[in-house]
Amino acid sequence: MNTNLPSEQAQLIIGIGSPFGDDRAGWEVVEQLQRMDLPPEIRLLSLDRPGVELIERMRGHARVTLIDAVHSEEHPPGTCLELTPEQLHLLACTSTHGFGLADTLKLGQSLDALPPSLQLCAICISPPKQSPAAIITPAIQTAAVTLARQLALQVHPSGTYTMEPSCSR
Amino acid sequence: MTSRRIRIDVPALTRVEGEGSLRLEVRDGQLVELGLSIFEPPRYFEKFLEGREAKEVVDIVARICGICPVAYQMSALNALESLSAQMASPWVQQMRRVFYCGEWLQSHALHIHLLALPDFLGFDSAISMAGQHPDEVKRGLKLQGQGNALIRLFGGRSVHPVGARLGGFHHAPAPEEVAALVAKLQAAQQDARELTRFCAALPLPDDPQAFTCVALHHPDRYAIESGEIRTSTGLSLSADQFEQHFHETHKPDSTALWSDLDGQPYLTGPLARLNINHSQLPDFLQTRLSEIGLTLPSDNMFHSLIARALEIELVLHEAIRLLEEYEYPASPYTALSLEPGTGCGMSEAPRGLLWHRYELDKKGLIKSARIVPPTSQNQARIEADLHRSLTAFGLDHDEEALRLRAEQVIRNYDPCISCATHFLTLERVET
């Protein structure tokens, strides 16, 4: 990764999550991408429930991709979705803080502070149980690998990443 | 006869996160029932710590709160390191203060701009406020971002940081990293100045009331990361003496414990700190106090907002002062050996006093732990304040006005419940 590249020329891919269980889906995608030989203008970042700080972290980047886990009753666990901010608001994000991802993006919109190109990728997970698992479940792990490959091909189409079935839009 | 039952639900409160509610009942213009309930699920952190090695504590307690993890880490380290004959190095002590400055900066900036300001500017949330006051919200995000950057400098990440350890830090930042951040902090000072003036110019209610203040005091500096307890009633206490005067009790309505100081409610947090330690503010902030016309000690809880703004200026000044003299250390920590026994320690979390006690056995394992966070300490004071403030405000006001005033009163304390910006819903019953 070339960290000297000006932010406005770089594309930022941010995995949002926390260390445990399926909530780490966004982090898992970023970890997969870190193992791939991506072009230097691709910046990768894992954030632990950043709240409104996400707006500052995205500032100055022309293109940002966000990946987060969402609870959805309509889709089986492991489904990858590409969402608009409005669609995101209808789903329950896993953030336990007052300002979840949907609220943060709404605030960013009000401030006209979102990047010109913003892509939102969600991985559907089951609602948390009373004792959430410490490790990611196989279905979510597979989804994270699939999404990572898709994103790698998107930013570097000439790359040789093995392609899995595509995510829904 | 007309009675009103007003129910206020708080869907995102606790020591960390959780739920709470407020019940009000008014009969014949009198407040006959008022109950602040916290129904957060118990989190058992003290139990999780039992049987763990002392060195693990700092990383476990960091996960108690997403907003003030540094406070939990520093109070734990103060308690555990009191069991060592050695001390952390002066470099570590200074950098812990800087680390903590980052937490005050991010937490106060978040509270003022995103949680409290909508109340005073007439909006139901920061999102709706942002359209008409984008510059204020952007200023808040910038200041919060600088605070998080300071936490990351030492903690590796801003949420649940992992850089602190017994005796110091795992890693010392490179001087060039420090210099780059100092430049950004210096640039933020103008925003902080404007913020204090902005907060002082807000039409804050004039609501004088009597309350006891409790804060740490340090003989050499405005207490943040260490100090001894001072109270406005004249007590001066070490961490070991905390339990002689401060007590926690269960209440039927609340899963969080209620604290009292010798049987009475008390205030901990920015206004209590400022009331007790204002003479230690640097000269430029003494000038600022005169400029904005704030006389201390203040008996108006709504001045908590201004207190947070002043503390933002203070921590920027402190972090810059300490980092301008930054030198890369020979080691970022001192290897400490801990003796078996009971160690108490405390520090000033953004929202007030945070006290820890650990009992360490001969094998170096935690035998018992006790943590007293600021939000539970302020619960009794919040309820007393609500009773007095709502009565003074006028119980004949309509529900919307009463709800807003109740929310403002609760938010003055910056409890974790105010994570949700629109957390009170009112249910009025007339009989």
Side-chain angles (χ1 to χ4, degrees), chain B residues 51-159:
Chain B
R52 296 285 188 167
E53 290 181 48
K55 68 180 182 186
E56 295 179 275
V57 171
V58 69
D59 289 323
I60 295 173
V61 298
R63 303 206 70 86
I64 292 178
C65 183
I67 304 293
C68 46
V70 175
Y72 280 91
Q73 293 189 307
M74 292 302 112
S75 288
L77 290 170
N78 287 342
L80 290 168
E81 290 176 6
S82 74
L83 295 170
S84 175
Q86 306 152 276
M87 284 182 69
S89 70
W91 181 91
V92 165
Q93 291 173 30
Q94 289 184 348
M95 294 308 115
R96 281 179 175 170
R97 184 169 176 86
V98 173
F99 190 35
Y100 220 136
C101 284
E103 182 156 285
W104 277 26
L105 177 56
Q106 70 86 14
S107 177
H108 284 356
L110 177 78
H111 176 81
I112 293 175
H113 293 91
L114 298 184
L115 305 179
L117 265 190
D119 284 345
F120 299 110
L121 296 178
F123 295 89
D124 64 358
S125 72
I127 294 168
S128 55
M129 185 178 79
Q132 287 189 44
H133 296 276
D135 293 341
E136 284 78 13
V137 178
K138 283 179 181 173
R139 176 183 61 204
L141 295 182
K142 267 168 63 185
L143 286 169
Q144 191 206 14
Q146 298 306 338
N148 282 331
L150 255 182
I151 298 173
R152 275 195 297 276
L153 186 69
F154 291 95
R157 61 190 191 199
S158 57
V159 181

Side-chain angles (χ1 to χ4, degrees), chain A residues 19 49 52-53 57 96 98, chain B residues 17 63 144 148 152 160 419:
Chain A
R49 295 156 291 180
V52 293
E53 200 204 353
R57 301 300 289 258
T96 47
Chain B
E17 294 146 354
R63 303 206 70 86
Q144 191 206 14
N148 282 331
R152 275 195 297 276
H160 310 309
C419 289

Side-chain angles (χ1 to χ4, degrees), chain A residues 35 41 55 67 76 85 107 122 124 133 135 140 152-153 166-167:
Chain A
R35 292 180 202 133
E41 64 271 22
I55 297 171
I67 308 144
L107 183 64
C124 297
I135 55 167
I140 306 304
L153 282 173
S166 117
C167 284

Side-chain angles (χ1 to χ4, degrees), chain B residues 102-390:
Chain B
E103 182 156 285
W104 277 26
L105 177 56
Q106 70 86 14
S107 177
H108 284 356
L110 177 78
H111 176 81
I112 293 175
H113 293 91
L114 298 184
L115 305 179
L117 265 190
D119 284 345
F120 299 110
L121 296 178
F123 295 89
D124 64 358
S125 72
I127 294 168
S128 55
M129 185 178 79
Q132 287 189 44
H133 296 276
D135 293 341
E136 284 78 13
V137 178
K138 283 179 181 173
R139 176 183 61 204
L141 295 182
K142 267 168 63 185
L143 286 169
Q144 191 206 14
Q146 298 306 338
N148 282 331
L150 255 182
I151 298 173
R152 275 195 297 276
L153 186 69
F154 291 95
R157 61 190 191 199
S158 57
V159 181
H160 310 309
V162 291
R165 55 158 290 164
L166 276 171
F169 294 95
H170 289 290
H171 162 83
E176 50 271 28
E177 239 185 310
V178 172
L181 186 51
V182 167
K184 289 179 181 170
L185 297 175
Q186 286 168 332
Q189 285 182 297
Q190 177 63 29
D191 278 338
R193 274 194 290 278
E194 287 169 10
L195 174 61
T196 303
R197 291 171 182 143
F198 176 84
C199 289
L202 287 170
L204 301 175
D206 182 19
D207 185 28
Q209 53 184 301
F211 50 84
T212 298
C213 292
V214 173
L216 291 190
H217 173 82
H218 192 285
D220 304 329
R221 53 187 180 266
Y222 194 94
I224 299 176
E225 77 289 359
S226 62
E228 302 235 311
I229 293 170
R230 284 273 174 93
T231 73
S232 55
T233 54
L235 287 173
S236 185
L237 305 168
S238 66
D240 295 342
Q241 295 171 304
F242 178 89
E243 288 171 303
Q244 294 171 18
H245 294 270
F246 295 86
H247 314 99
E248 287 188 306
T249 47
H250 281 288
K251 284 217 168 190
D253 276 352
S254 184
T255 52
L257 296 168
W258 287 55
S259 297
D260 67 72
L261 166 60
D262 294 326
Q264 296 300 315
Y266 61 96
L267 172 70
T268 180
L271 188 61
R273 290 194 289 255
L274 204 60
N275 279 344
I276 286 177
N277 296 320
H278 62 89
S279 65
Q280 293 177 305
L281 291 174
D283 289 347
F284 80 96
L285 284 179
Q286 300 290 354
T287 306
R288 187 86 68 246
L289 285 176
S290 307
E291 176 196 329
I292 62 176
L294 181 63
T295 304
L296 295 169
S298 166
D299 58 4
N300 183 357
M301 271 305 302
F302 287 99
H303 286 160
S304 297
L305 191 78
I306 304 173
R308 285 187 187 92
L310 287 161
E311 287 190 339
I312 283 178
E313 287 203 76
L314 173 76
V315 293
L316 276 171
H317 172 80
E318 281 294 277
I320 292 166
R321 179 179 70 79
L322 291 164
L323 291 180
E324 276 179 337
E325 298 166 0
Y326 181 81
E327 287 181 9
Y328 194 77
S331 171
Y333 65 88
T334 304
L336 303 177
S337 54
L338 306 184
E339 298 297 322
T342 301
C344 300
M346 51 197 178
S347 66
E348 282 286 348
R351 49 190 60 75
L353 180 66
L354 174 58
W355 181 87
H356 289 214
R357 184 196 67 201
Y358 298 99
E359 194 182 350
L360 199 64
D361 70 13
K362 287 177 184 169
K363 294 179 189 164
L365 304 178
I366 301 296
K367 199 171 168 190
S368 69
R370 187 175 170 213
I371 295 173
V372 182
T375 294
S376 69
Q377 294 183 66
N378 274 333
Q379 274 191 102
R381 172 87 269 278
I382 295 173
E383 197 171 287
D385 188 352
L386 280 166
H387 202 286
R388 201 218 139 278
S389 295
L390 292 176

